[in-house]
Amino acid sequence: MTTAHDARPTTAPVPTQSTYQNRVADYWNTEENPVNLELGRIDDLYHHHYGIGEADRSVLDEADSALRRELVTAELHRLEHAQAELLAARLGPLAPSDRVFDAGCGRGGGSVVAHLRYGCHADGVTISAKQAEFAGEQARKRGIADKVRYHHRNMLDTGLPTGAYAASWNNESTMYVELDLLFAEHARLLRRGGRYVVITGCYNDTYGQASREVSLINAHYICDIHPRSAYFRALARNRLVPVHVEDLTEAALPYWELRSRAEHLVTGIEETFLSAYRNGSFQYLLIAADRV
Ligand code: SAH
């Protein structure tokens, strides 16, 4: 006899999606930005988020242009990886038998980072079929496909087992969904005492409403950046109690300054991010919360 969970295929069709969610899926199914692919190729850890920490700006002084590009690419990847490690460090402590849930997993780097750190099982969910397939292939190549699995599903309605997860997170993927629906799904999946972590760009309530820059970022990525206040309200409504809050805005600037000078990697949104952070309308935030 099999249980309902064992019988469920990992490639279950994504539950009914809104037209908006179809557009988001289309975006990620066709996304091939060098800033995502070239950085990932360095060590097969594909991150689709931004970096944090001091940047080594001397890489820009390299006279040989091919070598300069290589050095800049590696430096940006190092900063993105540092961001992933910062998030992963907040998930623990975890045991190898624990399961973690990576909501909006992109090409899968975050789940691999968590697995390498804790030896845990990971389930990554993305609304992009192409990303789920890419990430699964990476896990197979690494020989960790038995512990790290990716699913083409909607993170608001994953079909994954209730209370089975010791930790879960969103790394730059909350701006695509309604927070109440998202946090209700995390609260369902997390066991009592489980840990939820989010890193996100949010607009700053003290500025007022969304600034011009925030609106441009929304248009660029087809997303809907929430105000900082919305996170705490929605967490509280869904039995998720913040235990650590960190404003990463300052730490995010060196990455964007370097990326804006990386002529082979720029996507055109760099100056907008820099102005948004500098004019105080936008913040880069980490929140860790406990499921009670
Ligand atoms: N967390 C990843 C990727 C961030 S990019 C990383 O840090 O590298 C945003 C991701 O959110 C994309 O993978 C996109 O497919 C996913 N996403 C957006 N809306 C989603 C939804 N409703 N369900 C599942 N994934 C979603």
Side-chain angles (χ1 to χ4, degrees):
M1 199 181 103
T2 55
T3 64
H5 171 59
D6 291 340
R8 192 177 289 129
T10 58
T11 51
V14 178
T16 311
Q17 288 176 203
S18 62
T19 308
Y20 168 75
Q21 287 170 337
N22 288 335
R23 295 288 85 78
V24 171
D26 290 345
Y27 175 94
W28 290 105
N29 281 332
T30 51
E31 185 275 326
E32 298 269 340
N33 285 332
V35 75
N36 285 328
L37 291 170
E38 283 187 27
L39 274 61
R41 269 183 214 120
I42 293 175
D43 55 4
D44 288 332
L45 283 172
Y46 289 84
H47 300 302
H48 296 355
H49 56 249
Y50 314 125
I52 49 163
E54 276 313 313
D56 176 4
R57 295 174 63 88
S58 72
V59 291
L60 293 166
D61 302 333
E62 171 57 47
D64 180 275
S65 69
L67 183 55
R68 183 172 65 246
R69 286 173 179 216
E70 229 174 85
L71 292 172
V72 170
T73 303
E75 183 61 2
L76 288 172
H77 186 59
R78 187 182 70 77
L79 299 175
E80 289 189 5
H81 190 71
Q83 191 265 29
E85 290 286 359
L86 182 85
L87 189 157
R90 290 276 165 199
L91 298 171
L94 294 170
S97 56
D98 282 329
R99 289 177 80 164
V100 298
F101 165 53
D102 179 359
C105 64
R107 283 189 174 90
S111 287
V112 178
V113 168
H115 168 74
L116 293 177
R117 177 179 280 256
Y118 300 108
C120 57
H121 298 259
D123 284 295
V125 165
T126 169
I127 205 155
S128 156
K130 198 171 143 211
Q131 286 186 330
E133 199 192 318
F134 181 98
E137 185 52 32
Q138 292 297 318
R140 275 187 291 282
K141 279 195 201 151
R142 246 177 217 277
I144 57 172
D146 56 327
K147 294 201 93 172
V148 178
R149 300 197 293 169
Y150 298 96
H151 316 268
H152 169 216
R153 294 190 194 175
N154 189 336
M155 64 182 163
L156 302 180
D157 185 9
T158 60
L160 295 170
T162 300
Y165 293 84
S168 67
W169 70 91
N170 283 97
N171 198 348
E172 293 185 17
S173 52
T174 47
M175 57 291 286
Y176 295 98
V177 292
E178 284 179 53
L179 292 181
D180 269 302
L181 300 179
L182 176 68
F183 294 159
E185 183 66 346
H186 280 284
R188 183 184 74 79
L189 294 173
L190 285 169
R191 70 181 185 211
R192 218 180 148 87
R195 170 62 55 82
Y196 172 70
V197 181
V198 54
I199 295 186
T200 188
C202 60
Y203 80 74
N204 188 356
D205 300 83
T206 66
Y207 181 91
Q209 297 286 99
S211 65
R212 178 170 179 276
E213 290 79 11
V214 167
S215 300
L216 288 169
I217 296 168
N218 280 337
H220 185 87
Y221 291 105
I222 337 174
C223 65
D224 186 12
I225 292 163
H226 307 290
R228 174 157 45 105
S229 56
Y231 282 88
F232 297 94
R233 284 201 203 98
L235 287 168
R237 278 194 292 257
N238 289 283
R239 308 194 62 87
L240 294 165
V241 181
V243 63
H244 180 80
V245 179
E246 199 169 336
D247 182 354
L248 299 171
T249 310
E250 280 293 319
L253 283 171
Y255 169 87
W256 285 100
E257 281 159 0
L258 183 59
R259 181 165 148 177
S260 70
R261 310 243 340 244
E263 73 272 7
H264 61 305
L265 299 173
V266 288
T267 62
I269 199 66
E270 287 75 14
E271 292 305 328
T272 309
F273 267 86
L274 284 167
S275 317
Y277 285 141
R278 287 182 183 137
N279 71 20
S281 66
F282 190 50
Q283 293 175 296
Y284 200 46
L285 197 69
L286 177 149
I287 307 169
D290 290 328
R291 163 72 165 90
V292 298

